[in-house]
Amino acid sequence: MPKAGNHFLERLPLASDRPVLGVSITLILVAGAFVLRWFADPFLPSGFPYVTFFPAVIVSSFLFGVRLGALSALLCGLLAWYYFIPEYRSFDVAGPGVLALLFYVFVVVTDIALVHWMQRANRNLARERELSRTLAETRELLFSELQHRVSNNLQVAAGLLSVQKRQVVDTTARAALDEAARRLALIGRISRQLYDAGGATRSMREFLEPLCADVVEASGRTGVRCSINVAEDAPLSPDAAIPLALIVAEAMANAIEHGFRDKEGGCIEVHLARHGADMVKVEVRDDGDGLPDGFRIEASDSLGLKIATMLASQLNGKFDLIREHGTTARLLLPA
């Protein structure tokens, strides 16, 4: 948002549609400069006929543009010539007077030209800024629409898988379709929050909070509570958003489905902290039943855990399940 001073400068020159007002104020500036010069004359040494007129010319040019600046320069020059350059009260001029007039013309022409060029450059800059703002708004609108369409398409694909499941008799195949539909639906729900239209990265906390709320809501378990504990936040690369979302969602779904299988509810804590100098640790802790004895993630036939392990590897990280007062799903990522 432009500052008030910048907004005023962008409006210059003023009174373009009200020439009478511009001329009136210009005449007042000229008259004020003349009166001030008249009263200052006894206190000024000779050789300063234009000392109060230059500011009037500059202010007139600055406020009302080249034409009224030129009018101000003409009137001020005539008044100074007639009253303050020998021969006084006459337009006759001797050698030193000619030099003073030439100096005046040079100065006021330079001042008016500089003011005009600066105002033109400022107008061009204002137009470019407005064009950039319009383009930015258009980009954000298109980006939002793209995210909306992607999200809708993923939701439609999840719905089609659910419909296709009705025609499948095999239990394993139905379970696989259920899992695929659930993951597509999850990505569809969070896809609108993955990226910033301006390309800025988001913090992991900003990303994890709505994600965890979506997973709990999608489970339909009213007794499950989820909390986010961020010891030290870290920026989230947009390329890591979907893999991280799937890994955390899989860990939470695993806790809800298996850890709280025989319970009405439970507590899940998503903990984020630094791990060493160059790693970030994301842990999904639950207070459920815990892992069975002898469990090893490498030997598990769970498709979800295999996907989580593969995605962690793609991020140059590591995913593991640990038994400690329930189950802890630990994801280590490069910082």
Side-chain angles (χ1 to χ4, degrees):
M1 183 175 181
K3 296 181 179 179
N6 292 338
H7 182 67
F8 172 74
L9 292 176
E10 291 170 4
R11 296 172 54 196
L12 296 175
L14 303 175
S16 300
D17 55 344
R18 292 181 292 177
V20 175
L21 177 63
V23 171
S24 300
I25 296 177
T26 299
L27 293 178
I28 291 173
L29 290 172
V30 172
F34 173 74
V35 171
L36 184 62
R37 178 64 181 82
W38 181 273
F39 283 104
D41 188 62
F43 307 100
L44 292 175
S46 61
F48 294 91
Y50 310 111
V51 66
T52 62
F53 292 110
F54 286 132
V57 175
I58 295 174
V59 172
S60 299
S61 303
F62 180 77
L63 292 179
F64 306 113
V66 174
R67 293 181 180 180
L68 293 187
L71 174 63
S72 176
L74 175 62
L75 295 177
C76 288
L78 291 174
L79 289 172
W81 185 1
Y82 188 80
Y83 286 100
F84 304 111
I85 295 178
E87 300 284 338
Y88 300 112
R89 299 182 183 275
S90 169
F91 288 113
D92 294 336
V93 61
V98 173
L99 185 61
L101 285 173
L102 291 176
F103 174 76
Y104 173 78
V105 171
F106 171 76
V107 172
V108 295
V109 169
T110 302
D111 289 342
I112 293 174
L114 288 176
V115 171
H116 173 67
W117 290 335
M118 286 189 292
Q119 288 183 346
R120 185 172 62 179
N122 192 61
R123 287 195 298 270
N124 291 337
L125 181 61
R127 283 195 294 268
E128 291 294 331
R129 184 163 52 246
E130 180 64 20
L131 177 61
S132 298
R133 185 189 64 80
T134 303
L135 291 175
E137 290 179 353
T138 303
R139 182 185 64 177
E140 291 180 4
L141 179 63
L142 292 175
F143 191 88
S144 177
E145 180 64 20
L146 175 62
Q147 286 182 312
H148 179 74
R149 290 182 180 274
V150 169
S151 177
N152 285 348
N153 290 340
L154 289 171
Q155 297 285 0
V156 169
L160 291 175
L161 288 176
S162 298
V163 171
Q164 186 67 31
K165 183 190 68 172
R166 301 173 186 173
Q167 304 176 10
V168 177
V169 178
D170 183 76
T171 304
T172 303
R174 290 173 64 89
L177 288 175
D178 270 339
E179 284 296 304
R182 181 179 67 82
R183 293 187 177 94
L184 281 175
L186 172 65
I187 296 175
R189 284 195 301 273
I190 66 175
S191 62
R192 299 177 188 181
Q193 304 171 5
L194 291 179
Y195 305 103
D196 180 82
T201 58
R202 305 179 61 193
S203 69
M204 286 192 176
R205 184 187 186 95
E206 292 174 333
F207 178 73
L208 290 174
E209 285 180 343
L211 169 65
C212 295
D214 281 339
V215 174
V216 173
E217 181 182 355
S219 70
R221 299 285 296 273
T222 57
V224 176
R225 302 186 309 276
C226 181
S227 62
I228 310 294
N229 184 0
V230 178
E232 187 175 352
D233 210 343
L236 173 66
S237 168
D239 293 335
I242 289 181
L244 176 63
L246 290 176
I247 294 171
V248 173
E250 181 59 40
M252 292 185 62
N254 189 66
I256 294 172
E257 181 180 354
H258 301 291
F260 305 147
R261 176 181 298 173
D262 301 324
K263 298 183 176 183
E264 293 184 0
C267 181
I268 298 175
E269 179 187 5
V270 180
H271 183 78
L272 173 66
R274 288 279 180 176
H275 184 76
D278 55 354
M279 299 292 287
V280 172
K281 179 173 64 176
V282 182
E283 291 185 339
V284 180
R285 306 167 181 172
D286 68 74
D287 58 356
D289 295 333
L291 296 170
D293 294 334
F295 175 85
R296 290 188 307 111
I297 193 171
E298 298 85 359
S300 173
D301 59 356
S302 169
L303 177 61
L305 294 180
K306 291 180 179 179
I307 292 176
T309 303
M310 178 192 68
L311 291 174
S313 178
Q314 289 179 357
L315 297 174
N316 297 320
K318 182 180 180 182
F319 177 77
D320 200 4
L321 291 180
I322 304 168
R323 181 174 184 175
E324 47 184 32
H325 306 296
T327 302
T328 298
R330 178 175 296 163
L331 172 65
L332 295 177
L333 296 173

